[in-house]
Amino acid sequence: APVLISILLGASFSRYQVEESVEHLLAPTHSLAKIERNLVDSLFPVNRSKHRLYSDLQTPGRYGRVIITSFRKANMLDQHHTDLILKLHSAVTRIQVQRPGFNYTFAHICILNNDKTCIVDDIVHVLEELKAARSSNRTNFAITYPITHLKDGREVYNGHQLGGVTVHSKDRVKSAEAIQLTYYLQAINSLNDMVAEKWESIFCDTVELFQKSNRKVKMYPFTSSSLKEDFQKTSRVSERYLITSLVLVVTLAILCCSMQDCVRSKPWLGLLGLLTVTLATLTAAGIINLTGGKYNSTFLGIPFVMLGHGLYGTFEMLSSWRKTREDQHVKERTAAVFADSMLSFSLTTAMYLVTFGIGASPFTNIEAARIFCCNSCIAIFFNYLYVLSFYGSSLVFTGYIENNYQHSIFCRKVPKPEVLQEKPAWYRFLLTAKFSEDTADSEETNSYESHLLVWFLKRYYCDWITNTYVKPFVVLFYLVYISFALMGYLQVSEGSDLSNIVATATRTIEYTTAQQKYFSNYSPVIGFYIYESIEYWNTSVQEDVLEYTKGFVRISWFESYLNYLRKLNISTGLPKKNFTDMLRNSFLKAPQFAHFSEDIIFSKKYNNEVDVVASRMFLVAKTMETKREELYDLLETLRKLSLTSKVKFIVFNPSFVYMDRYASSVGAPLQNSCISALFLLFFSAFLVADSLINIWLTLTVASVEFGVIGFMTLWKVELDCISVLCLIYGINYTIDNCAPLLSTFVLGKEFTRTKWVKNALEVHGVAILQSYLCYIVGLIPLAAVPSNLTRTLFRCLFLIALVTFFHCFAILPVILTFLPPSKKKRKEKKNPENREEIECVEMVDMDSTRVVDQITTV
C-alpha cells in the first residue's frame, strides 16, 4: 500500500509548479513596510508616463542594471572608459525583443519623461557633457559628488552612479573606479511585462557579449529577475550532488546492516529503511503538489530531515530484533521489536509533529518557513505509518528467511557445516553462518555480537568511556565546548541579506559584491512621505520637517520648495487663502518647480481654497560600513521618530519589505517550537515512569542547541530562514537520539550507574552510530554544492549531528556516572558458605535444533 500510494501521488510531479515570487517566500507576511507601501501607492500612484526616475522607488518594477569597473582600478571617467560606457549605453538602447508582428526596443518599453523621451540615469547625461567638453577643449567642466549640476542647471544625485570616488577640494571628483547604469522598464500589463522580462534576459546577454570584446573592463549585470532565477538555480546545481549523496547513503546503510554471518546479516533492511524514508518524502511532496503548493529551493532540506528521523527509527527496530531470542517464532520476535522500539519512536514522532506543526501554523511570519514545516509534518507523519506497515512487513519477511536458515541476500537454504566442508573456500565464505548446535553451553548464545559495531561498543568503547582516568578529560572538553559556544552565541547576527539564499556563481552574488564594494558610501534612497495636511507656510512647521531630515542627502525639490514657502511667508505675510492661491499660481507658472507635480498633492476645497494633502522627498543616509545592519538600524530609528514627531510621516524603500521585523519574524518559529517542545516535555513528565528522563532530556536539548547556535556563528552562518529551520530540526534530532539512551539509564535498577551507562550504550548505541554514519555520509556531498543556501544547510545540519553525537557518546555517558538518579548496588554475599549452586537441564526437541524450554534447579 505505501508503494502504491507513493507512486500515485508522485505521478503529480509531471506538472509541478515553481514558486516565482521571492518576496512571497522570504519577506515577512505581516510586515509594517507592506502597509506603508500600500499607503504610499494610494498617495502617490506611480504614473508610468510622467514622473521622475526616483518616483519608481515605491516598487522595484522591471529594470536592468550594470556596474562597469576595471581590473586595474582605472579611472572610469577618463576618455577611453567614457567612450566605452557610452558605446555600451548605445548598444543597450538598441536591444530588440522579437514578438509576432513587432520588434520591441528600449524606446517602446522604457519609462517616459514629460517630453516623451526615455528616462535614463543622470550619469549618462554627465558623461555626454564630459565628452562634449573634451571635444571642444573646455576645461571648466567639473563633476561634484554626491550632487552635481548639469548644463541645463538641474541638480542631480550621483551617489549611486559613481563608485570608488576620489575627490578634490569642494567635492570635485578626481576619479571614479566604478559606474552604475540603470534602465527602468514599464510593466503595465501582461504583454508589457512579458516583453520586459525577455528584454532583461537579452540585456544580460548583451552586457556579457560586450565584455568579451572589451576584456580590460569588468561588467556586473543585474535585473529584477536575477534574484528569482538565482534562488531557484540552487535546485539545478544540486542535482548531481544529491544523487551522489543518495548512492553513498544506500551503500553505507547496506554495510551497517551487514555481518559475516550470511543468515543474520540484514543488508536488505538497510536498503528498505532508506526506501521507507524515500516513499514518505515522495508522498508528502505529492500531497503538497496536488493541493496547490509550489516548489522552492528550501525543500532541499526536507530529505535530510527525513533521513535523520526515519533511518534512526528503522535502525532502532533492527537493534531490537538483535536482542530477541532466535528460538522464538517470528510473530513473537516482531511483537517484541514493536513493544521495545515503537513506543520511543512514536513519542519522538509526536515531538516532530508538534514542533514543526507550530512552525506550519499562521503564527509563522515567513512563508518559506511555514511551507517547509508543513511539508516536513506531512512527510514525518507518513514516515511513521510506513515504518509501521512497509518496514514492519519487510522485517517479518527477513525474519522468516532467518528462521529458515536462508541466505540473507540470495534467500537460498544454507547447508549444515558438515556439508559446507566439502565445498570450495569461496563458497564457504559466502555461506558462513552459525547454527545453534555450533554453540557450546558455556559460550555466549547471542550470535549478533559478531556484528562489528556491536562488538566494538561492548568490548572496547563502553569500558573506555567509563574509565576513571578518561572522565576528567571529557568534563574538561565539555567546558571548552561551552566556552566556545558562548563566545559564538554572543556574536549572533541576523542574515537578512537575500544573497545568502542563492547559488554562488551567479549574477546576484557578483553584483551584490561589487555594489557593496563601490557603492556603499550611501544607503539606498529612502522616501520620506508626509501624509497629513499641515501648515507648510508656518515657519516652525518648516523647521520641524527639515529637522527630521537633517543629516541626509535630499534628492528632491522639496527643500527648495520649503525655502520658497519661507520666503513667501516672510515677504508677504499673506493669510492662508491668499497664500495658497499664490502657491498654486507659482506651481503653474514657475519653471523651477516643474518637478513638484509628483512631490506635492493638492486638494481643492468647496471655497476654491487649495490645500496640501501630502508631500514627499527622497533621502539618502551617509554610511560608514558596508553592513546591512546599518540600514535596518536607520529604519528603526526613523520609525521611532515618526511615532514621536509633531509631523505625521512614514519612510519607505522596497528593501524594507524584506528586512522589516526580520529578526522577530525569522526567530518566531524557533521560539514557538522551543516553547512547544518544553511544554510537551513538562506535560509528559507526569506520564512517564520517571520525570528525571524529561529533566535530562530538556538539559541535553538546551546544551545541544546552545552549542549549535554558537558554533554556527563562529562558522560564519547567520541567523536566517534556513538556519532557523535547521535549529527547529535540531531539537527533534537530539530527542530522537538521546531519549532512548536516557530512558534506559534512568529506569534501570539494582546495578551501579556505570553498569547502566554501559548497558544503555550497548542497547541503543549501535542504532545511534549507524544512523549518524549514514547521515554524515549523506551530508558530505552537500558541502560541495556551489550555493549559499546549501552551504548554510550543510553547516547547520553537520553541527547538529556532530554535537548530538558528542553528547550521546561522551557527555551523557560520563556525566550520568556521577549525577542523579542514584542506583542501588547489588549486595553480594561474601560468605563462601552461602554460595548458590545452579544446575540447568534443557529439554530439546529431538526433531530440530531449537531449545523448547529449560528447567532450573537450585
Side-chain angles (χ1 to χ4, degrees):
V3 175
L4 291 175
I5 292 172
S6 298
I7 291 174
L8 290 174
L9 293 175
S12 67
F13 276 97
S14 60
R15 50 187 180 85
Y16 80 99
Q17 294 180 309
V18 177
E19 179 59 61
E20 299 287 345
S21 175
V22 178
E23 179 182 317
H24 173 71
L25 284 174
L26 301 174
T29 306
H30 307 290
S31 170
L32 183 58
K34 291 183 178 179
I35 300 174
E36 292 170 342
R37 180 172 62 186
N38 293 335
L39 178 59
V40 168
D41 288 340
S42 65
L43 291 175
F44 297 93
V46 177
N47 185 346
R48 294 292 179 176
S49 60
K50 294 180 181 179
H51 70 72
R52 299 172 60 237
L53 181 60
Y54 284 104
S55 298
D56 205 44
L57 289 169
Q58 294 170 207
T59 174
R62 290 283 184 185
Y63 60 86
R65 283 198 181 105
V66 58
I67 294 176
I68 308 104
T69 184
S70 172
F71 288 105
R72 295 181 297 177
K73 296 184 178 181
N75 180 16
M76 304 305 294
L77 295 176
D78 62 24
Q79 184 172 355
H80 170 71
H81 289 99
T82 299
D83 294 342
L84 192 67
I85 293 170
L86 291 176
K87 185 179 177 181
L88 172 64
H89 171 69
S90 177
V92 169
T93 55
R94 291 197 307 269
I95 290 176
Q96 291 187 353
V97 178
Q98 296 181 355
R99 297 292 300 170
F102 193 80
N103 290 339
Y104 290 88
T105 64
F106 177 69
H108 295 109
I109 58 175
C110 70
I111 295 176
L112 300 177
N113 209 334
N114 290 337
D115 57 359
K116 302 299 181 180
T117 59
C118 289
I119 294 179
V120 295
D121 272 343
D122 292 316
I123 190 64
V124 175
H125 301 305
V126 172
L127 294 178
E128 289 174 344
E129 291 185 8
L130 182 61
K131 181 180 180 179
R134 286 187 178 130
S135 61
S136 60
N137 293 325
R138 286 190 291 112
T139 59
N140 59 347
F141 182 80
I143 304 173
T144 54
Y145 180 82
I147 293 178
T148 191
H149 295 80
L150 296 180
K151 185 171 59 176
D152 57 5
R154 288 191 299 128
E155 273 190 353
V156 295
Y157 169 74
N158 56 27
H160 292 155
Q161 298 164 6
L162 291 178
V165 176
T166 304
V167 296
H168 288 298
S169 59
K170 296 182 180 180
D171 295 332
R172 293 185 61 179
V173 176
K174 180 181 179 182
S175 65
E177 296 179 13
I179 289 179
Q180 178 171 239
L181 303 178
T182 304
Y183 300 90
Y184 284 96
L185 310 174
Q186 295 186 47
I188 54 179
N189 53 51
S190 58
L191 175 62
N192 200 245
D193 186 69
M194 186 187 305
V195 172
E197 184 177 13
K198 182 65 177 175
W199 188 94
E200 290 177 354
S201 177
I202 301 175
F203 167 78
C204 293
D205 296 337
T206 301
V207 172
E208 291 170 356
L209 185 64
F210 191 85
Q211 184 181 344
K212 289 181 181 179
S213 59
N214 300 275
R215 297 187 178 276
K216 292 185 179 181
V217 295
K218 178 62 178 173
M219 300 182 183
Y220 303 93
F222 185 78
T223 68
S224 63
S225 304
S226 296
L227 181 62
K228 175 191 68 176
E229 294 170 356
D230 296 342
F231 173 62
Q232 301 298 353
K233 188 179 179 181
T234 297
S235 301
R236 298 193 296 273
V237 299
S238 301
E239 289 176 356
R240 61 190 182 95
Y241 298 96
L242 292 177
I243 293 173
T244 304
S245 177
L246 180 61
V247 172
L248 292 175
V249 173
V250 168
T251 305
L252 195 59
I254 292 174
L255 291 176
C256 284
C257 298
S258 301
M259 299 171 55
Q260 188 176 1
D261 191 319
C262 67
V263 173
R264 295 165 183 85
S265 180
K266 299 289 185 293
W268 286 114
L269 285 183
L271 178 61
L272 290 169
L274 191 61
L275 182 60
T276 304
V277 175
T278 304
L279 291 176
T281 308
L282 184 62
T283 302
I287 291 174
I288 290 291
N289 192 40
L290 289 175
T291 54
K294 296 182 180 180
Y295 174 83
N296 66 81
S297 291
T298 61
F299 284 6
L300 291 174
I302 293 179
F304 294 95
V305 171
M306 296 299 300
L307 185 66
H309 177 60
L311 275 189
Y312 178 75
T314 57
F315 285 140
E316 187 68 27
M317 291 180 69
L318 187 55
S319 180
S320 299
W321 179 269
R322 296 192 191 101
K323 293 184 291 180
T324 59
R325 297 208 325 266
E326 292 186 356
D327 61 323
Q328 289 180 299
H329 192 272
V330 173
K331 291 183 179 181
E332 296 173 353
R333 297 183 75 178
T334 306
V337 168
F338 274 76
D340 184 48
S341 61
M342 289 309 294
L343 178 61
S344 62
F345 188 67
S346 300
L347 293 175
T348 53
T349 300
M351 184 66 76
Y352 270 92
L353 294 177
V354 169
T355 52
F356 278 111
I358 293 294
S361 68
F363 296 108
T364 300
N365 204 15
I366 302 291
E367 188 66 16
R370 194 190 66 79
I371 296 173
F372 182 95
C373 292
C374 180
N375 207 346
S376 297
C377 275
I378 299 173
I380 288 163
F381 175 73
F382 277 96
N383 180 74
Y384 179 75
L385 296 181
Y386 289 2
V387 167
L388 282 173
S389 55
F390 181 80
Y391 193 77
S393 302
S394 305
L395 190 65
V396 171
F397 280 119
T398 56
Y400 278 113
I401 291 173
E402 180 182 335
N403 268 27
N404 295 329
Y405 282 94
Q406 293 174 267
H407 197 282
S408 59
I409 300 177
F410 307 112
C411 301
R412 181 185 175 185
K413 185 78 174 181
V414 177
K416 296 288 184 71
E418 55 269 18
V419 180
L420 278 175
Q421 293 300 323
E422 303 173 359
K423 301 293 183 180
W426 65 268
Y427 190 88
R428 292 199 304 271
F429 176 78
L430 288 177
L431 275 77
T432 301
K434 183 182 288 186
F435 285 77
S436 57
E437 62 262 27
D438 297 340
T439 305
D441 294 340
S442 59
E443 293 180 358
E444 182 64 52
T445 58
N446 190 352
S447 303
Y448 283 102
E449 288 194 4
S450 60
H451 190 284
L452 179 63
L453 297 179
V454 176
W455 172 79
F456 169 73
L457 286 175
K458 190 168 185 178
R459 298 298 175 88
Y460 293 99
Y461 187 79
C462 290
D463 291 331
W464 178 80
I465 196 64
T466 54
N467 188 288
T468 306
Y469 299 102
V470 174
K471 292 179 185 178
F473 291 99
V474 174
V475 173
L476 180 62
F477 192 71
Y478 182 69
L479 295 176
V480 173
Y481 159 81
I482 289 294
S483 301
F484 277 93
L486 178 62
M487 182 171 65
Y489 186 83
L490 297 175
Q491 303 176 37
V492 172
S493 60
E494 301 161 11
S496 58
D497 191 350
L498 295 179
S499 62
N500 290 337
I501 50 94
V502 300
T504 51
T506 56
R507 296 190 183 106
T508 300
I509 296 296
E510 294 177 349
Y511 172 83
T512 302
T513 303
Q515 203 276 336
Q516 290 178 349
K517 179 180 180 181
Y518 295 109
F519 300 95
S520 59
N521 289 337
Y522 295 95
S523 72
V525 180
I526 302 170
F528 182 89
Y529 300 87
I530 300 173
Y531 59 94
E532 67 169 341
S533 179
I534 60 175
E535 298 179 349
Y536 288 89
W537 51 89
N538 192 314
T539 306
S540 61
V541 173
Q542 297 168 9
E543 296 296 333
D544 286 339
V545 173
L546 291 177
E547 178 66 26
Y548 298 139
T549 60
K550 184 183 294 185
F552 290 89
V553 177
R554 282 168 283 277
I555 313 168
S556 179
W557 291 95
F558 191 73
E559 184 181 9
S560 301
Y561 159 58
L562 291 177
N563 291 330
Y564 177 70
L565 294 181
R566 188 183 297 113
K567 292 177 182 178
L568 279 177
N569 198 28
I570 293 173
S571 61
T572 62
L574 296 173
K576 177 182 176 182
K577 185 179 184 306
N578 294 345
F579 179 86
T580 51
D581 287 341
M582 182 179 292
L583 177 64
R584 181 182 58 179
N585 294 331
S586 298
F587 273 90
L588 292 174
K589 297 176 181 178
Q592 67 267 32
F593 297 117
H595 291 286
F596 281 151
S597 59
E598 288 193 3
D599 289 334
I600 305 295
I601 297 178
F602 295 101
S603 174
K604 189 177 293 186
K605 296 185 179 181
Y606 66 93
N607 57 356
N608 204 28
E609 181 181 339
V610 176
D611 199 4
V612 179
V613 177
S615 57
R616 67 178 175 184
M617 70 175 79
F618 297 103
L619 314 171
V620 181
K622 177 74 174 177
T623 52
M624 302 301 295
E625 301 288 340
T626 60
K627 294 180 180 178
R628 190 177 178 85
E629 285 78 4
E630 281 197 38
L631 187 57
Y632 179 76
D633 293 338
L634 177 63
L635 170 62
E636 290 300 305
T637 302
L638 291 173
R639 285 262 176 83
K640 293 175 183 177
L641 188 63
S642 67
L643 296 175
T644 59
S645 69
K646 300 176 183 177
V647 178
K648 294 180 180 179
F649 71 89
I650 59 174
V651 289
F652 180 75
N653 179 278
S655 62
F656 291 172
V657 174
Y658 290 99
M659 69 177 62
D660 186 24
R661 304 287 189 272
Y662 185 82
S664 59
S665 298
V666 80
L670 179 61
Q671 292 176 348
N672 295 335
S673 297
C674 289
I675 293 171
S676 61
L678 291 175
F679 175 77
L680 197 62
L681 289 172
F682 174 78
F683 180 73
S684 60
F686 301 100
L687 303 177
V688 297
D690 198 324
S691 59
L692 276 174
I693 297 174
N694 286 10
I695 293 175
W696 273 112
L697 204 54
T698 303
L699 293 175
T700 305
V701 170
S703 178
V704 170
E705 288 289 285
F706 179 74
V708 171
I709 293 175
F711 281 98
M712 80 178 194
T713 304
L714 295 178
W715 206 357
K716 308 296 183 184
V717 177
E718 297 178 325
L719 198 64
D720 58 9
C721 178
I722 305 300
S723 58
V724 163
L725 291 174
C726 292
L727 290 172
I728 296 174
Y729 168 64
I731 300 171
N732 302 283
Y733 185 84
T734 305
I735 294 174
D736 243 346
N737 290 270
C738 297
L741 201 69
L742 289 167
S743 180
T744 301
F745 173 81
V746 172
L747 297 179
K749 303 294 181 184
E750 300 301 326
F751 292 103
T752 62
R753 291 193 184 101
T754 301
K755 176 66 178 177
W756 275 110
V757 165
K758 292 180 179 179
N759 188 42
L761 282 176
E762 290 172 7
V763 172
H764 302 288
V766 175
I768 297 172
L769 195 56
Q770 285 174 322
S771 63
Y772 174 77
L773 291 174
C774 292
Y775 194 70
I776 290 297
V777 165
L779 280 178
I780 288 174
L782 202 64
V785 179
S787 170
N788 288 336
L789 188 152
T790 53
R791 183 202 64 178
T792 301
L793 200 63
F794 166 76
R795 293 184 179 183
C796 291
L797 294 179
F798 179 80
L799 285 173
I800 289 168
L802 183 65
V803 173
T804 302
F805 181 80
F806 171 60
H807 279 73
C808 287
F809 279 89
I811 300 303
L812 288 176
V814 168
I815 291 179
L816 290 175
T817 57
F818 53 81
L819 289 179
S822 62
K823 306 292 182 183
K824 294 182 180 179
K825 293 185 179 181
R826 184 172 59 179
K827 296 180 180 179
E828 298 180 357
K829 297 181 180 180
K830 296 182 179 180
N831 190 350
E833 298 178 357
N834 295 331
R835 287 182 299 178
E836 295 180 348
E837 294 183 0
I838 299 176
E839 177 186 3
C840 297
V841 180
E842 294 183 349
M843 296 179 65
V844 181
D845 186 354
M846 303 303 294
D847 296 332
S848 68
T849 59
R850 292 176 56 193
V851 177
V852 177
D853 200 356
Q854 56 182 345
I855 301 173
T856 304
T857 62
V858 180

